[in-house]
Amino acid sequence: MKTDTPRPIHLKDYRPTDYLIDEVHLDVKLVPQQTRVKSVLAIRPNPAVSDPASSLTLDGEQMELTGLALDGQPLARGDYTVDDKSLTIDNVPSGPFTLEIETTCDPDANTSLSGLYRSSGNYCTQCEAEGFRRITYYLDRPDVLARFTTRIEARRSDAPVLLSNGNLVASGPVEGTERHFAIWEDPFPKPSYLFALVGGDLADVDDVFTTASGREVTLRIYVEHGKEDRCDYAMDALKRSMRWDEEVFGREYDLDIFMIVAVSDFNMGAMENKGLNIFNDKYILARPDTATDADYSNIEGIIAHEYFHNWTGNRITCRDWFQLCLKEGLTVFRDQEFSSDMRSRPVKRIGDVKLLRSHQFPEDGGPLSHPVRPNAYIEINNFYTATVYEKGAEVVRMMQTLIGPEAFRKAMDLYFERHDGEAATVEDFVTCMEDASGRSLDQFMLWYTQAGTPELAVAGKFRRSERVFELTVTQMTPPSGGQRKKQPLHIPLEIGLIDADGEALPLKLDGHGALERPVLEITEEEQTFHFTDVPDKPVPSLNRGFSCPVKLTSNLSDDDLLFLMSRDQDPFNRWEACQTYAGKKLLQCVEDASKNQTLRTDEQLAEALDACLADTALEPAFVALMLNLPSENDLAARIGTNVDPWAIHTARSNLMAYLAGVLHDRLIGLYDRLTDNDPYSPAAADAGRRALRNTVLDLLSRIDGPDVASRQFKNASNMTDQMGALNVLGTIDAPERTDALNAFYDANKADHLLVDKWLALNAMAPFPDKIAEIRALTDHAAFSLKTPNKVRALVGTFSIANPVCFNHEDGSGYRFLADTVLALDSLNPQVAARLSSAFKNWRMMEPGRSALAKAEIERIKSRKGLSRDTLEIVTKTLQ
Ligand code: 0A1
Ligand code: ZN
């Protein structure tokens, strides 16, 4: 914790290091409050730097230096300097040399969960982005790649399991002691952020995978004792990921063993350390009675994501942290593709777009807006954002759309061939796309450097006499992230033209003939496309599959939208038309609500949804998505200024109740039809059926009250159905709600992941008079400020998923968040900073609320000793 104003780091200042580290030999003696680390580094001047400095500065913090020697000679006090951030050694040799460093650190006191810490008594590490410097002094940056050998020693009774990256080369007792050791060797040079070490008393579940070339790889998942029966799905997902990466990207695994360790205290979802992934156990443990379908699909996606990092992140890493999207955007793209292949592609795409809209668009349009590749940061941990990850993936997807799937695969092969073993840049990657396709992506690069969500306005016009359909597209990106004037981007816009019978019309462009792929390339501020030989007025289907991450408006009429909802060949756009239409109607209802007028309803929407419910050709998961009208947060974002969350809540609840009333009989029939007694399977089709049934339950309960949900809660034979019922009951202010929540807690209080679900359910209660009850849960035995999952479940859910309470007009919701951020900041700055970003929408609120929110953000900012992490977020939030 520092109070002096932190200095930003700029991309333009990137310089390679004066020295390189080729080899690292670590010797770690695990002791709870005084772990001793000996590090032997083989160092040489960097040949790429012409005039290296005569001193060497290594990063290091929160350690005690207990020994230092250069080429075997202990260094005297005057030969080096240490401060709270670094160790500088003066006059190092001009040729290769060896540095031996001995330090101690205190894993028990490490509540930041960065570096070496203990989770449920087990030692584990988190080194991305800059945690290695809390383990030993080092050049802790991604462009320094070294081979690591790690010896770990601990009391056998404390830590029978000792793990690190690579392959196990020796292990055994330390003679004459109660201690034992293990030595791990990683043959692949890697940056320090990929280092990992684990020591603890853990159970393991094993399997094997035979690679395409016939090598046998041991797969091993470590979990708390007694949780072994919750690893099957993660293991299955891992094997499917390994096979998929071979088949789709030609990438094989490269070590003899792949290990995963599940821990309950973790700042993020999981971490791709070479050969030793460490996971938040929420994304490993699953059994039908403990995990929901959503949990299963998250597990599949995150297992795949971390595994795919082995090539996109580990074998080819990032030159500097500004290039974070190089590994993250690309790996998210790869895990999205994997899940699309494992499940339903349109349903996956809709889910991804919903996430992009709910998290990335508000980020890009608010005070924390930054480009996919930021050009400055104060604390890099604040840049693991939806923009870097999700928009980063969209940028990769757009390149695939522009150059086509074959050229894209060629480009990926080229990237792996050209940059294997290197620390690369975004330019390196895009150059491979250019070289493989023969196309220039110069203008496209703006997607990486320009912040903000582009706005596309599309107008169609039919000239009957000429049989021409004219489509005019204008683009504009609003100023944001310190960038005022934005350049026009290179945008792939996938489209279709549909005739009155619902048939696809051929796409012939004036002067170009038939389009090879249905993609318009937008490169200018305004462009008009003339489609020829169009016999009758078509309905254009725009931005199919969400081919570009933009906000699109058009001159489509309500009738056009209703037509697309039922007839578009592109399922994504059927859903999109529904969202656009329902969103429009909901905004009118919000206006009614804020004027205290009777809220309007919409028969046509009810009819369209009824047709959708009746259409047995549609996947149930898709129908469930159609029935999910734009969320309250969505509507707030669309309104954009002077937002009254209560009016939004009232309007949305009212329209949902109206729809439930009109569709009531069909919903009852459907609910019964979707009920089955087959054993639970996490497969997408079964999950889809449950998703629809739970959506139907939600609608029905708006008319019929809590009975059906109560029954479902009591009879449920799996966690998905139980949570489906609880999600509904949680929003009904009736005794059934309290009974179910109490019963759930009593039945599951020994299971920390289920307790987290209970905390989240409580936090979502949309009852403004119950904020004090939610807040009181911070004193409940089930809560701990030291466990990020618990903070996210209670306070994170409250601030993001309970807009009416968080934005209470008396400011008590804002105060709850600010108090939590302040209490957490000294324990875990990363999580505190992330939590504080929930204030990012404060300016959108009506003046009373926004003043209250602002005061709370200012209160955080003025706290003495606030972490750099939180200070950066709240400062930007206020700007
Ligand atoms: N690279 C991981 C995410 C991650 C990032 C930072 C962490 O600690 C600050 C931990 C994990 C991923 O993309 O999965
Ligand atoms: Zn990642």
Side-chain angles (χ1 to χ4, degrees):
M1 256 114 310
K2 297 289 300 175
T3 41
D4 40 347
T5 314
R7 271 189 334 119
I9 307 201
H10 293 274
L11 168 59
K12 64 174 167 33
D13 296 337
Y14 171 82
R15 300 282 175 280
T17 53
D18 287 357
Y19 293 87
L20 297 176
I21 304 176
D22 295 320
E23 299 264 351
V24 185
H25 285 260
L26 288 177
D27 187 339
V28 181
K29 207 173 191 176
L30 292 170
V31 179
Q33 277 128 39
Q34 210 180 32
T35 287
R36 194 228 53 205
V37 179
K38 273 190 196 163
S39 164
V40 181
L41 306 176
I43 304 180
R44 67 183 155 106
N46 186 350
V49 175
S50 54
D51 188 19
S54 59
S55 65
L56 166 68
T57 298
L58 302 176
D59 307 296
E61 56 194 38
Q62 299 183 16
M63 292 175 296
E64 204 180 321
L65 180 66
T66 53
L68 188 59
L70 200 154
D71 285 335
Q73 293 300 310
L75 291 182
R77 256 290 168 208
D79 299 333
Y80 64 91
T81 43
V82 200
D83 61 22
D84 60 354
K85 289 254 165 289
S86 61
L87 161 67
T88 300
I89 300 149
D90 303 322
N91 300 316
V92 295
S94 56
F97 62 96
T98 303
L99 197 63
E100 286 166 66
I101 308 167
E102 202 177 303
T103 50
T104 59
C105 60
D106 181 351
D108 268 4
N110 185 354
T111 55
S112 70
L113 314 189
S114 160
L116 176 68
Y117 65 95
R118 294 226 289 172
S119 172
S120 308
N122 298 315
Y123 297 89
C124 66
T125 55
Q126 172 53 42
C127 293
E128 187 174 10
E130 298 178 336
F132 192 71
R133 63 187 63 188
R134 295 164 173 217
I135 297 174
T136 183
Y137 287 97
Y138 200 75
L139 289 173
D140 190 16
R141 39 186 280 172
D143 57 349
V144 174
L145 275 63
R147 268 182 305 275
F148 281 68
T149 303
T150 306
R151 181 182 182 281
I152 316 165
E153 194 185 302
R155 274 165 65 129
R156 191 186 286 276
S157 55
D158 285 353
V161 173
L162 301 174
L163 311 173
S164 191
N165 317 88
N167 300 313
L168 180 67
V169 292
S171 64
V174 178
E175 293 307 334
T177 72
E178 291 174 344
R179 306 178 71 79
H180 72 140
F181 75 95
I183 301 176
W184 292 84
E185 219 174 72
D186 183 357
F188 294 94
K190 65 168 176 290
S192 49
Y193 83 86
L194 291 172
F195 171 82
L197 174 156
V198 169
D201 189 1
L202 295 159
D204 65 87
V205 173
D206 285 27
D207 210 326
V208 281
F209 179 83
T210 308
T211 68
S213 69
R215 279 186 319 101
E216 281 215 337
V217 179
T218 301
L219 308 179
R220 189 167 290 158
I221 302 181
Y222 289 93
V223 290
E224 259 174 49
H225 288 283
K227 302 273 166 81
E228 296 91 324
D229 63 345
R230 302 189 192 190
C231 300
D232 296 353
Y233 190 73
M235 186 65 92
D236 178 56
L238 174 60
K239 289 187 284 184
R240 285 184 284 118
S241 306
M242 295 177 85
R243 191 62 74 213
W244 186 90
D245 212 15
E246 293 181 344
E247 289 171 359
V248 178
F249 282 96
R251 296 295 113 196
E252 257 192 39
Y253 186 61
D254 50 11
L255 288 165
D256 301 335
I257 184 165
F258 185 83
M259 297 174 284
I260 291 176
V261 178
V263 301
S264 49
D265 303 275
F266 202 70
N267 281 350
M268 308 279 270
M271 180 62 211
E272 70 264 23
N273 319 299
K274 182 79 188 187
L276 178 56
N277 287 187
I278 297 183
F279 269 64
N280 187 326
D281 59 2
K282 175 180 162 139
Y283 298 118
I284 292 291
L285 302 175
R287 221 173 44 191
D289 60 329
T290 65
T292 62
D293 290 331
D295 293 325
Y296 277 91
S297 109
N298 284 334
I299 290 169
E300 178 177 77
I302 296 178
I303 287 269
H305 180 94
E306 306 309 329
Y307 175 73
F308 296 156
H309 266 314
N310 191 52
W311 275 95
T312 49
N314 302 3
R315 288 287 288 257
I316 306 180
T317 193
C318 300
R319 188 193 72 173
D320 54 73
W321 290 121
F322 296 102
Q323 320 295 327
L324 188 56
C325 67
L326 175 68
K327 73 178 179 84
E328 296 305 348
L330 178 55
T331 305
V332 170
F333 169 79
R334 276 152 51 70
D335 83 54
Q336 290 175 344
E337 285 301 293
F338 168 75
S339 295
S340 302
D341 285 348
M342 297 295 125
R343 293 164 178 257
S344 153
R345 186 164 280 269
V347 168
K348 172 67 179 154
R349 186 65 185 142
I350 293 168
D352 290 341
V353 171
K354 282 177 78 158
L355 183 76
L356 191 78
R357 284 200 173 124
S358 62
H359 288 79
Q360 200 278 324
F361 280 19
E363 184 171 276
D364 227 353
L368 302 175
S369 178
H370 55 275
V372 170
R373 180 170 66 184
N375 39 43
Y377 63 77
I378 287 175
E379 172 51 64
I380 186 57
N381 287 320
N382 285 334
F383 283 82
Y384 289 80
T385 60
T387 298
V388 170
Y389 276 65
E390 269 72 37
K391 190 175 178 182
E394 293 301 317
V395 172
V396 174
R397 186 174 298 285
M398 282 189 286
M399 282 193 277
Q400 184 191 39
T401 306
L402 282 171
I403 69 176
E406 291 81 23
F408 181 77
R409 172 61 205 271
K410 253 175 62 190
M412 288 300 299
D413 288 349
L414 186 60
Y415 177 62
F416 293 126
E417 188 188 305
R418 224 181 242 180
H419 298 290
D420 186 13
E422 290 180 8
T425 61
V426 166
E427 280 79 4
D428 292 331
F429 180 69
V430 176
T431 301
C432 291
M433 296 287 147
E434 291 185 316
D435 291 352
S437 65
R439 299 211 40 189
S440 164
L441 293 169
D442 275 355
Q443 185 184 4
F444 187 84
M445 276 301 292
L446 287 169
W447 279 104
Y448 282 105
T449 55
Q450 203 165 268
T453 308
E455 295 174 4
L456 280 196
V458 185
K461 195 168 175 190
F462 182 56
R463 299 187 192 286
R464 188 172 300 279
S465 56
E466 296 150 59
R467 293 165 60 93
V468 162
F469 185 69
E470 196 180 282
L471 210 56
T472 300
V473 184
T474 51
Q475 62 161 306
M476 192 277 290
T477 306
S480 66
Q483 299 166 325
R484 299 194 138 268
K485 177 86 183 90
K486 308 280 173 98
Q487 308 294 313
L489 295 156
H490 185 177
I491 303 174
L493 183 68
E494 185 171 337
I495 63 147
L497 297 181
I498 308 174
D499 73 11
D501 301 324
E503 297 297 324
L505 291 166
L507 298 176
K508 282 190 255 173
L509 265 189
D510 194 19
H512 293 261
L515 279 181
E516 206 180 305
R517 282 179 295 123
V519 178
L520 301 179
E521 295 197 21
I522 317 296
T523 52
E524 288 157 38
E525 248 160 53
E526 181 172 323
Q527 255 165 298
T528 300
F529 299 88
H530 299 267
F531 294 93
T532 56
D533 296 333
V534 183
D536 215 339
K537 184 171 190 267
V539 177
S541 168
L542 304 165
N543 203 13
R544 282 186 159 173
F546 210 63
S547 63
C548 54
V550 302
K551 290 183 183 164
L552 187 144
T553 51
S554 73
N555 65 341
L556 288 175
S557 66
D558 281 1
D559 285 343
D560 291 338
L561 291 170
L562 291 163
F563 175 80
L564 291 172
M565 243 168 106
S566 63
R567 305 302 287 271
D568 202 320
Q569 292 88 9
D570 177 42
F572 176 85
N573 263 5
R574 285 183 76 167
W575 172 80
E576 181 75 329
C578 181
Q579 292 289 299
T580 308
Y581 183 88
K584 219 164 135 180
K585 301 298 158 187
L586 276 165
L587 293 187
Q588 292 166 350
C589 297
V590 175
E591 255 191 78
D592 297 341
S594 45
K595 290 185 192 142
N596 282 323
Q597 288 172 357
T598 317
L599 303 180
R600 65 194 95 175
T601 54
D602 195 90
E603 263 175 57
Q604 285 178 300
L605 179 61
E607 259 171 48
L609 291 176
D610 192 41
C612 193
L613 284 167
D615 187 344
T616 49
L618 295 174
E619 289 182 84
F622 177 81
V623 178
L625 288 165
M626 292 291 273
L627 290 177
N628 275 301
L629 303 190
S631 69
E632 291 175 28
N633 286 338
D634 250 344
L635 296 169
R638 288 185 206 210
I639 296 168
T641 52
N642 202 18
V643 168
D644 174 358
W646 189 249
I648 295 177
H649 181 72
T650 310
R652 190 175 184 276
S653 306
N654 190 70
L655 191 67
M656 296 278 279
Y658 159 78
L659 292 171
V662 177
L663 305 174
H664 190 261
D665 292 351
R666 194 183 292 285
L667 292 173
I668 297 252
L670 198 56
Y671 183 80
D672 292 337
R673 210 153 14 90
L674 291 166
T675 306
D676 79 5
N677 295 313
D678 293 347
Y680 175 89
S681 149
D686 299 272
R689 185 182 50 71
R690 286 185 290 268
L692 180 54
R693 184 163 172 268
N694 284 326
T695 302
V696 167
L697 175 67
D698 176 21
L699 281 166
L700 277 177
S701 308
R702 289 166 191 266
I703 295 289
D704 297 342
D707 289 356
V708 189
S710 284
R711 215 172 318 126
Q712 178 171 316
F713 172 71
K714 288 181 190 128
N715 298 337
S717 60
N718 60 68
M719 188 46 63
T720 305
D721 288 340
Q722 198 162 54
M723 283 304 291
L726 281 170
N727 277 325
V728 170
L729 290 170
T731 62
I732 304 176
D733 199 2
E736 285 85 346
R737 170 179 183 271
T738 322
D739 293 347
L741 283 174
N742 289 343
F744 185 83
Y745 183 74
D746 287 340
N748 299 303
K749 55 175 172 280
D751 188 313
H752 64 273
L753 294 179
L754 291 176
V755 169
D756 292 350
K757 291 194 192 304
W758 177 81
L759 288 170
L761 280 165
N762 277 285
M764 270 183 303
F767 314 125
D769 58 334
K770 290 198 166 56
I771 297 180
E773 284 175 35
I774 299 176
R775 189 176 173 139
L777 288 173
T778 51
D779 296 323
H780 194 284
F783 184 79
S784 162
L785 215 44
K786 288 191 178 165
T787 303
N789 282 0
K790 300 208 173 293
V791 175
R792 286 185 283 252
L794 184 65
V795 193
T797 304
F798 174 78
S799 331
I800 291 159
N802 191 349
V804 290
C805 288
F806 176 58
N807 300 294
H808 192 292
E809 61 192 349
D810 68 2
S812 55
Y814 302 140
R815 204 173 321 123
F816 175 33
L817 176 61
D819 287 342
T820 310
V821 168
L822 287 170
L824 184 60
D825 189 64
S826 54
L827 292 171
N828 189 331
Q830 271 181 40
V831 176
R834 210 159 249 273
L835 202 62
S836 69
S837 68
F839 276 118
K840 67 176 176 290
N841 297 327
W842 70 276
R843 265 181 221 279
M844 246 167 50
M845 295 295 143
E846 53 78 26
R849 286 175 169 90
S850 76
L852 290 165
K854 185 174 183 216
E856 292 300 330
I857 309 167
E858 280 170 341
R859 182 160 68 91
I860 299 176
K861 187 173 171 235
S862 66
R863 169 66 63 91
K864 276 215 169 59
L866 195 68
S867 68
R868 209 159 45 132
D869 311 55
T870 305
L871 185 60
E872 179 176 28
I873 298 291
V874 292
T875 305
K876 287 183 176 164
T877 302
L878 287 169
Q879 267 161 16

